[in-house]
Amino acid sequence: MNAGTIDSELDWVLVLAPFRKDADYVATFLREQKVAVKAVRMDEDLVPYLALSPGLITITHEALNPDVVARIAEHLAVQADWSEVPIIILLERSAPIARIRNELERSWPGSRLLFHTRPLSPLELVNAIHSNLLVRLRQRQVRDSIERERELRLELNHRVKNILASVTSIFQMTRRGADTVDNLASDFTGRLQALSNVHSAVFEAGGEEVSLSDVIQLTISPYSKGGVSRIEVNGPELIVSREAGTTIALCLHELITNAIKYGSLSEPEGTVRISWSILPTDGPDFSLNWIEADGPPVREPSRQGYGTRYIRSAFISLFGSPPEIVFAPEGFRCGANGPLSRITPEA
């Protein structure tokens, strides 16, 4: 009989019996109870079956020869710490149970030994197997839970380091452009709030991706008065990665800050239009635009401030090309274009 392939490692039983009648009886009955089973003759190699990780092993007394005990011992020796394989031993009534138990506990320390004497009713056998397969399932669930916890700890450590690096970078760049302590505190606080807003949006979305419109609305919402905003937002629904959402939000925060200080939002009638679109090209390409209107006359500054430097650097990193920054007399404009694949979550 070929070991073959087992589709599930959680719910099948390996039966070891030297006599074909015993093996067939147990295997047939278990299959009738919808339990997956593999019955092994004593002339077959046991190792390929053990390599398939049976959920439970059932062995008749006659199968407990030194070779079988040694093969199972080798299998148990390489099991993970969480694993305690249930092994049901079917003994004759006259068998020296205490001696056999002591010997097997020494040989198979990584197992969960259960002894039954024959004759055994079919119902009693299937109940024992079902309950111990459930024990095995619980073991694997505990393993999965521990692995998930470990992955979450590693991810949390990674994210905290990234956040601290972002905060440090924001502070250093803000400090270089600040002329007073009050300006430093105000600008730095605003930038941290923008970063916090994006993380809140990602958390509420429940994963590594977030709606671009949600990110933009969270970013501009602090600048609405009485429920009225002078910032118009328009674009199709689009899901972006956490990294892309964070970058776009921080860039928009810098643009808003600049507009409030020097641009269209410094005038009562000034407005801003934020729009994005997916261009029907081979890309497809993504386009994000910031357009100011009805503000004071625009003049290109003599030197680049923090906001302009950050926006240029961030959009280059995000899209692979620099943004178009235009200090037009009728209103400041900023446009960023790039492959849509660079901001959407990986499939």
Side-chain angles (χ1 to χ4, degrees):
M1 176 180 176
N2 192 309
T5 301
I6 300 296
D7 292 335
S8 172
E9 62 175 358
L10 299 178
D11 61 354
W12 71 282
V13 178
L14 178 63
V15 176
L16 306 179
F19 305 124
R20 171 52 57 192
K21 182 178 179 181
D22 288 345
D24 285 346
Y25 170 76
V26 174
T28 299
F29 180 73
L30 290 179
R31 290 189 184 107
E32 289 176 352
Q33 303 302 314
K34 309 302 182 183
V35 176
V37 60
K38 288 286 186 181
V40 184
R41 297 194 306 267
M42 299 311 297
D43 59 348
E44 292 184 88
D45 185 2
L46 183 58
V47 174
Y49 291 92
L50 294 173
L52 295 173
S53 298
L56 183 147
I57 301 173
T58 299
I59 308 177
T60 63
H61 187 185
E62 299 81 13
L64 289 174
N65 62 50
D67 183 65
V68 167
V69 172
R71 293 291 178 269
I72 294 178
E74 292 171 359
H75 172 69
L76 297 176
V78 297
Q79 296 296 289
D81 293 340
W82 60 267
S83 177
E84 189 182 48
V85 180
I87 301 180
I88 295 179
I89 313 295
L90 302 179
L91 298 175
E92 299 295 334
R93 290 190 181 277
S94 59
I97 297 178
R99 179 176 63 79
I100 294 174
R101 178 188 295 273
N102 290 335
E103 292 178 356
L104 292 181
E105 286 178 347
R106 287 195 300 270
S107 299
W108 300 340
S111 66
R112 185 171 186 269
L113 294 175
L114 302 109
F115 294 87
H116 293 271
T117 56
R118 295 182 290 184
L120 187 67
S121 71
L123 182 60
E124 185 179 358
L125 176 60
V126 78
N127 284 342
I129 288 175
H130 269 303
S131 62
N132 283 283
L133 284 176
L134 184 60
V135 168
R136 186 62 170 169
L137 176 62
R138 295 292 180 263
Q139 291 178 18
R140 296 181 187 275
Q141 289 173 336
V142 170
R143 173 204 63 186
D144 293 343
S145 177
I146 292 172
E147 290 179 353
R148 283 195 298 271
E149 182 180 348
R150 178 176 178 274
E151 291 174 358
L152 287 173
R153 288 200 305 268
L154 292 173
E155 176 64 17
L156 178 61
N157 180 60
H158 174 71
R159 290 194 181 186
V160 168
K161 286 183 177 179
N162 283 347
I163 291 172
L164 292 176
S166 297
V167 170
T168 300
S169 175
I170 289 171
F171 176 77
Q172 293 297 339
M173 297 185 73
T174 304
R175 181 179 63 85
R176 287 197 295 268
D179 51 6
T180 67
V181 173
D182 288 343
N183 286 343
L184 171 62
S186 176
D187 291 348
F188 183 60
T189 300
R191 285 159 183 154
L192 286 188
Q193 186 60 53
L195 184 63
S196 174
N197 287 342
V198 181
H199 282 283
S200 296
V202 174
F203 178 80
E204 291 171 4
E208 288 297 299
E209 53 192 46
V210 64
S211 164
L212 178 58
S213 60
D214 287 348
V215 168
I216 293 177
Q217 290 296 339
L218 275 172
T219 305
I220 68 173
S221 60
Y223 308 99
S224 299
K225 293 183 179 180
V228 177
S229 175
R230 289 190 286 149
I231 303 176
E232 177 188 348
V233 177
N234 182 44
E237 182 59 32
L238 181 63
I239 300 299
V240 299
S241 67
R242 175 173 58 87
E243 292 80 3
T246 301
T247 298
I248 292 172
L250 291 176
C251 288
L252 291 178
H253 172 76
E254 295 304 325
L255 290 168
I256 292 171
T257 301
N258 184 75
I260 291 173
K261 289 181 177 181
Y262 316 109
S264 63
L265 297 183
S266 67
E267 296 285 347
E269 302 302 321
T271 61
V272 172
R273 181 161 58 89
I274 302 173
S275 64
W276 65 94
S277 59
I278 300 174
L279 306 178
T281 64
D282 293 338
D285 283 341
F286 173 79
S287 175
L288 175 67
N289 293 284
W290 169 282
I291 300 175
E292 299 182 23
D294 300 324
V298 176
R299 294 179 181 177
E300 185 169 354
S302 58
R303 65 181 182 90
Q304 285 189 356
Y306 165 86
T308 302
R309 294 198 308 273
Y310 177 81
I311 291 168
R312 189 180 300 276
S313 174
F315 278 141
I316 288 175
S317 176
L318 185 60
F319 293 113
S321 59
E324 182 184 14
I325 298 176
V326 180
F327 293 90
E330 65 275 14
F332 173 83
R333 300 196 306 270
C334 179
N337 298 275
L340 182 62
S341 59
R342 292 182 71 109
I343 64 171
T344 52
E346 294 183 3

